Amino acid sequence: MNSELLNYYEAIEQASADMLSAARTGNWDEVVKLEGACVLLISQLKAAANASPLAPGESQLKTRIMQRILLNDAEIRHLAEPWLEDLDHVMKGKSRLVH
């Protein structure tokens, strides 16, 4: 088994879970920071995968990990929608916030 590649997938999954946790508490700065970590991990994963792809038996585990990452991502996006709408209004000078 190519545990190095699976370790990358698991690290990305953990980062996505941490992003979701931060999003649930409204800590968007932490979400952005963790997103940067994911970008780096994905880049490293791509380089490692080019050198040594996963074995056929590892694909099922990779698929399960990817499904969890996608679920986390979907929930993060759902949580971010109101925040993104507020940001869009602020950028257009139409803040909905009452001061």
Side-chain angles (χ1 to χ4, degrees):
M1 296 207 24
N2 190 342
S3 61
E4 179 187 8
L5 287 182
L6 290 176
N7 287 340
Y8 280 117
Y9 283 106
E10 290 169 346
I12 294 166
E13 178 188 10
Q14 183 59 55
S16 77
D18 293 344
M19 286 172 63
L20 178 55
S21 179
R24 285 178 175 156
T25 63
N27 188 349
W28 298 107
D29 289 336
E30 184 69 10
V31 172
V32 170
K33 179 180 129 188
L34 290 164
E35 185 178 28
C38 281
V39 168
L40 178 61
L41 286 166
I42 291 167
S43 175
Q44 293 170 338
L45 169 64
K46 287 179 183 179
N50 286 336
S52 176
L54 285 174
E58 296 172 320
S59 294
Q60 288 181 343
L61 180 55
K62 172 194 156 189
T63 298
R64 286 193 300 271
I65 292 169
M66 291 299 299
Q67 288 171 338
R68 290 189 298 261
I69 292 169
L70 291 172
L71 287 172
N72 290 343
D73 183 65
E75 188 170 343
I76 292 165
R77 289 177 189 275
H78 175 74
L79 292 168
E81 285 175 3
W83 180 81
L84 291 173
E85 284 181 25
D86 288 343
L87 179 62
D88 186 48
H89 288 297
V90 169
M91 297 297 288
K92 291 179 180 177
K94 301 176 185 176
S95 178
R96 295 186 308 175
L97 302 174
V98 177
H99 299 282

